[in-house]
């Protein structure tokens, strides 16, 4: 199945990100371990990450520096003779609500021997700084830099930096990115028993996300994810082989429902599995996904689905991360499932890359 076409307004947003002068995400598969992005939801967690990941001799870039306690803590973590903290912020009016609170300009004097401070007219000018010097670590406050805590924008900033600098680690303060990091589960860790799904997992607009690579991993998750009586949807059903496995796992007597959708021909799937619902639907048209269940399931009047599986050609390779995240958000918000399983290499890499600080138990050695 080819990638479904997103709504017009989202298409424009994704196009603008792709047209960024720096590629947001690596276009070539990398054999090296991806740079870890340590997600923090508070200043206290950022300081915890600084304790764990920053070395005395590091050269650090702090984006969205407000000359706060975090900036001071960062400067204390590096040595005066070899470490450097480059603090970057946009010019702000002192009266700006919330943005200037907690600023302590005395930091510039206290740590003058290890600080470079830059106030930019436009936030985008930070990209020029990273062309001129190398940094070991990026520390970024997403809300402070872009005004909103948006995970697509946060990941774009992080990966633009990584694509130029190849740093040792990125530390990012973002509640939404921290939430994403906590609910994305690497399929291999689930299959080998390293990670388990929560026992009291409920349907939500922020479901658990399980990225897989290869059809075997994709299908092996079914016994761990699907319960008898579930309503299940497969996006990108192709010939219906996986949809039939999902149907067998979910439907029992007069309970449960399973359907497969695709934007291509579904005649082969209908011919092979006449007892299963297959329809041609664009996955971005979430209202049609809700209507599909309402029109074909008489035993479950609830809206949405318990589990969604997605096998979409354009999202299965090494590229397409922004589109994958946007589609997952759309499906999560509209269908409110417990779990979404997606066959996507770029999403699986993201599962390896995003690390919530709450899961880091011991000091890691660089």
């Amino acid at each position: 199945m080819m990638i479904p076409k997103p709504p017009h307004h989202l298409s424009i947003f994704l196009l603008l990100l792709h047209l960024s002068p720096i590629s947001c995400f690596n276009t070539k598969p990398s054999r090296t371990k991806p740079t870890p992005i340590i997600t923090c939801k508070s200043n206290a967690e950022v300081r915890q990450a600084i304790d764990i990941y920053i070395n005395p001799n590091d050269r650090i870039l702090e984006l969205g520096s407000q000359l706060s306690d975090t900036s001071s803590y960062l400067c204390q973590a590096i040595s005066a003779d070899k470490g450097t903290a480059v603090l970057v912020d946009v010019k702000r009016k002192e009266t700006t609500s919330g943005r200037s609170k907690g600023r302590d300009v005395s930091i510039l004097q206290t740590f003058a021997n290890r600080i470079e401070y830059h106030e930019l007219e436009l936030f985008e000018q930070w990209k020029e700084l990273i062309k001129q010097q190398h940094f070991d670590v990026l520390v970024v406050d997403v809300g402070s830099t872009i005004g909103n805590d948006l995970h697509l924008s946060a990941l774009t900033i992080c990966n633009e930096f990584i694509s130029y600098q190849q740093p040792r680690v990125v530390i990012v303060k973002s509640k939404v990115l921290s939430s994403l990091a906590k609910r994305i589960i690497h399929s291999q860790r689930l299959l080998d028993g390293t990670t388990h799904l929560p026992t009291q997992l409920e349907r939500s607009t922020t479901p658990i996300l399980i990225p897989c690579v290869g059809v075997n991993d994709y299908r092996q998750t079914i016994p761990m994810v699907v319960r008898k009586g579930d309503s299940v949807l497969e996006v990108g059903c192709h010939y219906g082989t996986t949809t039939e496995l999902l149907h067998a796992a979910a439907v029992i007597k007069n309970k449960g429902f399973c359907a497969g959708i695709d934007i291509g021909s579904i005649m082969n799937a209908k011919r092979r599995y006449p007892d299963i619902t297959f329809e041609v639907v664009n996955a971005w048209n979430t209202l049609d996904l809700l209507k599909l269940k309402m029109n074909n399931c008489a035993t479950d009047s609830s809206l949405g689905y318990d589990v969604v599986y997605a096998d979409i050609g354009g999202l299965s390779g090494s590229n397409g991360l922004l589109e994958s995240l946007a589609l997952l958000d759309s499906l999560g918000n509209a269908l409110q499932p417990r779990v979404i399983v997606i066959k996507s290499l770029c999403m699986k890499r993201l599962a390896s890359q995003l690390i919530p600080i709450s899961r880091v138990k011991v000091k890691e050695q660089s």
Side-chain angles (χ1 to χ4, degrees):
M1 174 179 173
M2 296 177 64
I3 181 172
K5 185 178 180 180
H8 178 66
H9 67 281
L10 189 54
S11 297
I12 294 174
F13 171 74
L14 294 172
L15 177 61
L16 290 174
L17 287 177
H18 282 304
L19 291 178
S20 168
I22 303 176
S23 175
C24 326
F25 304 100
N26 293 332
T27 56
K28 296 181 179 180
S30 174
R31 295 181 182 274
T32 60
K33 188 176 180 180
T35 299
I37 299 175
I38 310 303
T39 63
C40 309
K41 62 182 181 181
S42 66
N43 288 333
E45 288 194 346
V46 172
R47 290 193 290 272
Q48 182 183 351
I50 289 172
D51 285 338
I52 294 172
Y53 289 100
I54 289 183
N55 298 324
N57 297 341
D58 279 341
R59 187 171 183 83
I60 303 160
L61 175 65
E62 184 189 23
L63 285 180
S65 171
Q66 299 182 65
L67 300 179
S68 62
D69 291 344
T70 299
S71 301
S72 176
Y73 199 82
L74 185 64
C75 293
Q76 294 175 56
I78 57 177
S79 67
D81 54 341
K82 293 185 178 180
T84 304
V86 179
L87 312 182
V88 177
D89 199 7
V90 293
K91 290 184 178 180
R92 307 184 190 277
K93 295 180 180 179
E94 290 302 318
T95 57
T96 302
S97 175
R99 297 293 180 84
S100 299
K101 185 179 180 180
R103 284 173 64 89
D104 181 7
V105 295
S106 67
I107 292 174
L108 300 178
Q109 294 297 323
T110 304
F111 301 103
N113 57 348
R114 69 193 79 173
I115 276 184
E116 293 178 21
Y117 182 59
H118 300 269
E119 280 193 338
L120 308 176
E121 293 289 345
L122 298 173
F123 172 67
E124 290 76 12
Q125 292 172 336
W126 72 270
K127 299 171 188 177
E128 294 303 316
L129 284 175
I130 67 174
K131 294 178 181 179
Q132 302 167 12
Q133 49 193 306
H134 176 74
F135 296 94
D136 302 294
V137 181
L138 169 67
V139 179
V140 57
D141 184 333
V142 175
S144 175
T145 54
I146 62 176
N148 290 292
D149 191 0
L150 304 172
H151 63 272
L152 286 177
S153 298
L155 284 171
T156 300
I157 292 171
C158 293
N159 282 281
E160 283 186 334
F161 181 81
I162 290 169
S163 68
Y164 258 117
Q165 292 282 327
Q166 297 298 312
R168 188 177 67 253
V169 66
V170 170
I171 299 171
V172 56
K173 179 189 171 188
S174 166
K175 289 183 179 179
V176 295
L177 202 56
S178 183
S179 172
L180 176 63
K182 290 177 181 177
R183 61 189 178 91
I184 187 170
I185 298 177
H186 196 289
S187 62
Q188 194 56 48
R189 298 185 189 124
L190 185 67
L191 295 173
D192 66 15
T194 304
T195 302
H196 301 276
L197 291 174
T199 55
Q200 300 298 321
L201 192 58
E202 302 293 335
R203 290 179 56 180
S204 169
T205 57
T206 54
I208 296 294
L209 306 175
I210 304 174
C212 307
V213 175
V215 70
N216 289 334
D217 284 359
Y218 183 68
R219 292 171 181 168
Q220 285 176 24
T221 63
I222 294 175
M224 303 176 181
V225 171
V226 181
R227 306 169 185 169
K228 290 295 183 183
D230 274 349
S231 294
V232 183
L233 173 71
E234 184 181 25
V235 178
C237 61
H238 306 278
Y239 294 117
T241 305
T242 301
T243 314
E244 193 276 334
L245 296 175
L246 292 167
H247 182 273
V251 177
I252 179 171
K253 296 183 179 179
N254 63 339
K255 293 183 179 180
F257 174 72
C258 183
I261 67 164
D262 209 303
I263 60 171
S265 174
I266 55 171
M267 295 308 298
N268 284 324
K270 283 189 169 185
R271 184 164 51 250
R272 294 175 70 190
Y273 308 108
D275 296 332
I276 301 177
T277 300
F278 293 99
E279 287 193 12
V280 175
V281 180
N282 188 323
W284 293 99
N285 298 334
T286 51
L287 180 58
D288 289 342
L289 301 181
L290 295 172
K291 289 179 179 178
L292 172 65
K293 181 184 172 186
M294 292 173 61
N295 295 336
N296 293 279
C297 181
T299 59
D300 185 356
S301 59
S302 66
L303 293 175
Y305 297 83
D306 298 293
V307 178
V308 176
Y309 273 66
D311 181 3
I312 303 173
L315 306 183
S316 296
S318 58
N319 300 317
L321 182 56
L322 293 176
E323 291 88 344
S324 296
L325 287 168
L327 180 60
L328 290 171
D329 277 352
S330 179
L331 295 174
N333 286 320
L335 309 183
Q336 298 187 13
R338 294 191 311 267
V339 179
I340 300 178
V341 179
I342 182 170
K343 188 152 76 71
S344 168
L345 176 59
C346 57
M347 282 298 301
K348 193 170 183 180
R349 284 179 178 165
L350 184 64
S352 298
Q353 189 174 26
L354 285 182
I355 305 172
I357 189 62
S358 58
R359 290 185 188 163
V360 180
K361 302 300 183 183
V362 297
K363 182 173 178 66
E364 299 187 4
Q365 300 298 320
S366 58

